[in-house]
Amino acid sequence: MPLLFPPAPAPALRSVLTALGSPTAVREAPTPALRAAQQPATPELPLPVHVLDRITPEGVSATRLAGWRFLIRCGDHAVAAAETMLTPDGWAFSHFFEGPYVTSTERALRQAETVTQPYQPRLLSMPSLYMLTLWLHGNTSGDGATGHPAPADLLVPLAPAPPGIAAHRPHRVADLLPVLTHRVRTARLMSSPA
């Protein structure tokens, strides 16, 4: 298997397990599929969630770690996801959610397992474009919490992707970031007063 998942911080995993064990947390979550699950729910496939706040004219920008996401599996597929965040007291459960990004993430991970080169999977959020991608990082020995997209890394836009960008089609960072840089500039020009 070419995907080498970075180990999630133990307190992040413990906080998700505690939330899954809490009838109140599950019952109050906006996740009908998780509430209705008849099989045990288990957190799997920990993914660090990085945010790319801005794209520089050169197309390269540092990312920041925003949290860890776990797909919540019941039976043979993911029914929800659990998000954790870093607080002054350490890693803590944030919330459960479901929706298109859960199934899209699962699909993108299955697709990525077919590539021959090993990658470390991460999620990369680009809020300025309302875009979430599976980031296949070539440095498989990293801890998952640091780093920035390298030119040879792959980005797989998750569905729903912004108009004009095909979901589930892998792009090298060197090829996709210039397109995204242009989109961000165009959006800024269109929103600025004349």
Side-chain angles (χ1 to χ4, degrees), residues 1-136:
M1 180 164 145
L3 295 183
L4 303 171
F5 286 83
L13 177 58
R14 276 194 306 271
S15 72
V16 171
L17 290 169
T18 299
L20 280 171
S22 165
T24 303
V26 172
R27 186 175 56 248
E28 292 180 0
T31 53
L34 181 59
R35 288 194 309 264
Q38 299 297 313
Q39 298 176 336
T42 57
E44 296 182 356
L45 307 175
L47 295 166
V49 180
H50 291 262
V51 176
L52 184 64
D53 288 315
R54 66 184 188 85
I55 301 171
T56 65
E58 299 79 29
V60 177
S61 181
T63 64
R64 64 179 169 81
L65 181 65
W68 282 81
R69 182 172 297 172
F70 298 81
L71 293 183
I72 305 300
R73 184 171 303 281
C74 289
D76 61 349
H77 66 282
V79 296
E83 193 92 15
T84 63
M85 63 182 185
L86 190 58
T87 69
D89 295 325
W91 287 101
F93 171 76
S94 174
H95 61 281
F96 291 115
F97 66 95
E98 62 184 49
Y101 284 134
V102 174
T103 55
S104 187
T105 300
E106 191 173 40
R107 176 181 168 188
L109 287 168
R110 277 195 313 269
Q111 287 177 300
E113 289 175 344
T114 65
V115 298
T116 56
Q117 178 180 342
Y119 286 104
Q120 183 184 82
R122 303 169 174 205
L123 293 173
L124 181 63
S125 173
M126 297 174 226
S128 61
L129 294 171
Y130 302 101
M131 183 173 179
L132 183 64
T133 67
L134 176 64
W135 168 17
L136 299 174

Side-chain angles (χ1 to χ4, degrees), residues 126-193:
M126 297 174 226
S128 61
L129 294 171
Y130 302 101
M131 183 173 179
L132 183 64
T133 67
L134 176 64
W135 168 17
L136 299 174
H137 193 42
N139 178 2
T140 58
S141 63
D143 64 3
T146 58
H148 63 278
D153 288 354
L154 296 178
L155 295 177
V156 182
L158 300 180
I165 296 177
H168 297 285
R169 182 171 166 237
H171 301 270
R172 284 180 353 107
V173 166
D175 299 332
L176 186 59
L177 278 186
V179 171
L180 300 178
T181 302
H182 176 72
R183 282 184 171 234
V184 168
R185 277 196 215 123
T186 302
R188 283 188 190 138
L189 287 174
M190 293 179 78
S191 65
S192 65

